[in-house]
């Protein structure tokens, strides 16, 4: 496992590329446009600079990490990848379209992994001619900092692909946890109902967002309150994940709180655009 390809240069994709390059791997980072690639590389450089400023790496080491990342808009150039990690929009149809394309481009030996936080790996695997080599690698945000990777086996995933992916996660400095394919896996199946109930507590006037988060931080020793975390994840992403849970499990307890849906309708998505349960930036 030498050549890692990351498709998607957003928050998760650039974090995965950063982490892999910092672990000594050659990384190809693929995006659909040069402006998106430039933005991703700028973010990686800025995040690495924080390590330099804190004395965790030298300026030369930072440059070494950046040189191991090859940014490109040419998806056809990735045919020699050992593994492709997809980190694009959380939409099954779009992911399946990409996996079909990757299946045609890459060598038969290449493992195709998805960083999806909730969507069925089994469905993605079924769309390819190599279902035994399709797997989930659900990294946590921010990727360079968080230790966990959920490694999700599709129904079709071979033992060899699973073991290779587990070992890769370890080489990336992460702790892999094996999870079978089910809606939301473990992380979001447990987390999203917590966020949802916190939103209901606010909607019903039980407490303010600040109070709800303080209770969970001081009373339950959570490092971040559930509503702070929802803002960090993106309220639109939370609503989308809960829709996957409802659809996949058929249990109405996973339906998104009306207040969450209202905030998304208003364009209040959290940190990424300045307002969610809290205000960020100049509008704070």
């Amino acid at each position: 496992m030498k050549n890692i390809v990351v498709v998607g240069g957003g928050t998760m994709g650039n974090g995965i590329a950063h982490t892999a390059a910092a672990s000594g791997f050659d990384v190809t980072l693929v995006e659909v446009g040069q402006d998106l690639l430039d933005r991703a590389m700028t973010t990686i450089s800025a995040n690495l600079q924080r390590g330099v400023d804190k004395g965790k790496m030298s300026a030369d080491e930072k440059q070494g990490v950046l040189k191991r990342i090859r940014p490109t808009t040419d998806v056809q150039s990735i045919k020699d990848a050992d593994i492709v990690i997809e980190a694009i929009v959380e939409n099954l149809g779009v992911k399946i379209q990409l996996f079909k394309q990757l299946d045609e481009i890459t060598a038969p030996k290449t493992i195709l992994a998805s960083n999806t936080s909730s969507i069925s790996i089994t469905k993605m695997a079924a769309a390819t001619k190599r279902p035994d080599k399709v797997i989930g690698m659900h990294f946590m945000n921010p990727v360079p900092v968080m230790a966990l990777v959920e490694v999700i086996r599709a129904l079709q995933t071979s033992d060899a692909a699973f073991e290779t992916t587990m070992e890769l996660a370890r080489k990336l400095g992460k702790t892999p946890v094996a999870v079978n394919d089910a809606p939301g896996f473990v992380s979001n199946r447990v987390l999203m109902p917590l966020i949802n109930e916190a939103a209901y507590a606010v909607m019903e006037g039980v407490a303010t967002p600040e109070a709800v988060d303080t209770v969970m931080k001081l009373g339950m020793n959570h490092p971040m309150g559930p509503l702070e975390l929802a803002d960090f994840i993106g309220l639109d992403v939370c609503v989308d994940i809960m829709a996957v849970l409802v659809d996949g499990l058929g249990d109405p307890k996973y339906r998104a709180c009306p207040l969450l849906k209202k905030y998304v309708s208003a364009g209040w998505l959290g940190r990424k655009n300045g307002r969610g349960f809290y205000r960020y930036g100049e509008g704070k």
Side-chain angles (χ1 to χ4, degrees):
M1 190 68 66
K2 296 179 180 178
N3 300 313
I4 297 176
V5 171
V6 180
V7 179
T11 300
M12 298 304 294
N14 71 58
I16 296 167
H18 169 163
T19 299
S23 299
F25 291 93
D26 292 324
V27 182
T28 300
L29 179 61
V30 182
E31 256 294 1
V32 294
Q34 189 60 47
D35 57 334
L36 295 173
L37 272 179
D38 293 343
R39 189 184 307 169
M41 293 304 297
T42 297
T43 298
I44 293 170
S45 179
N47 289 338
L48 287 168
Q49 185 60 42
R50 291 192 186 96
V52 175
D53 294 342
K54 293 177 181 178
K56 294 181 178 180
M57 65 166 50
S58 67
D60 287 343
E61 287 171 330
K62 171 190 170 180
Q63 291 306 312
V65 173
L66 290 173
K67 286 178 182 178
R68 285 193 287 273
I69 302 174
R70 181 176 72 92
T72 183
T73 59
D74 181 14
V75 72
Q76 298 290 333
S77 69
I78 68 170
K79 60 181 184 296
D80 295 325
D82 293 311
I83 187 169
V84 179
I85 303 173
E86 165 271 313
I88 64 168
V89 63
E90 193 75 346
N91 178 285
L92 176 61
V94 177
K95 288 182 186 293
I96 284 179
Q97 184 178 6
L98 174 63
F99 268 68
K100 287 179 177 179
Q101 184 181 18
L102 296 173
D103 196 31
E104 294 297 325
I105 294 170
T106 58
K109 68 179 178 64
T110 305
I111 293 173
L112 303 181
S114 175
N115 180 58
T116 179
S117 59
S118 61
I119 293 174
S120 171
I121 305 298
T122 298
K123 288 181 180 178
M124 286 185 245
T128 74
K129 298 173 184 175
R130 66 182 85 189
D132 59 313
K133 293 183 177 67
V134 176
I135 198 164
M137 290 188 80
H138 180 206
F139 291 81
M140 304 294 122
N141 185 27
V143 179
V145 175
M146 301 296 281
L148 175 68
V149 176
E150 281 186 304
V151 177
I152 303 105
R153 294 188 71 147
L155 186 64
Q156 310 95 316
T157 305
S158 69
D159 289 343
F162 170 73
E163 293 298 339
T164 298
T165 305
M166 292 285 281
E167 182 59 25
L168 172 61
R170 295 186 189 102
K171 288 180 178 179
L172 294 176
K174 305 303 182 185
T175 300
V177 175
V179 178
N180 288 322
D181 191 20
F185 316 133
V186 170
S187 56
N188 281 319
R189 185 167 178 172
V190 174
L191 174 62
M192 288 302 147
L194 171 62
I195 288 173
N196 214 34
E197 282 301 313
Y200 269 112
V202 173
M203 186 182 78
E204 294 169 2
V206 176
T208 64
E210 293 84 355
V212 171
D213 283 340
T214 299
V215 167
M216 297 307 294
K217 287 188 287 187
L218 300 185
M220 313 303 166
N221 204 28
H222 290 196
M224 183 182 290
L227 300 176
E228 292 176 280
L229 182 54
D231 275 0
F232 186 73
I233 294 168
L235 303 189
D236 54 334
V237 176
C238 293
V239 169
D240 288 345
I241 292 171
M242 282 185 274
V244 171
L245 290 168
V246 171
D247 181 63
L249 298 171
D251 193 327
K253 74 180 180 182
Y254 296 109
R255 288 177 182 163
C257 171
L259 183 61
L260 275 175
K261 290 183 175 181
K262 185 179 290 187
Y263 279 15
V264 172
S265 296
W268 298 358
L269 307 182
R271 281 183 175 271
K272 60 187 171 185
N273 70 343
R275 183 166 184 178
F277 283 97
Y278 300 91
R279 292 177 180 266
Y280 305 91
E282 293 181 2
K284 187 173 180 181

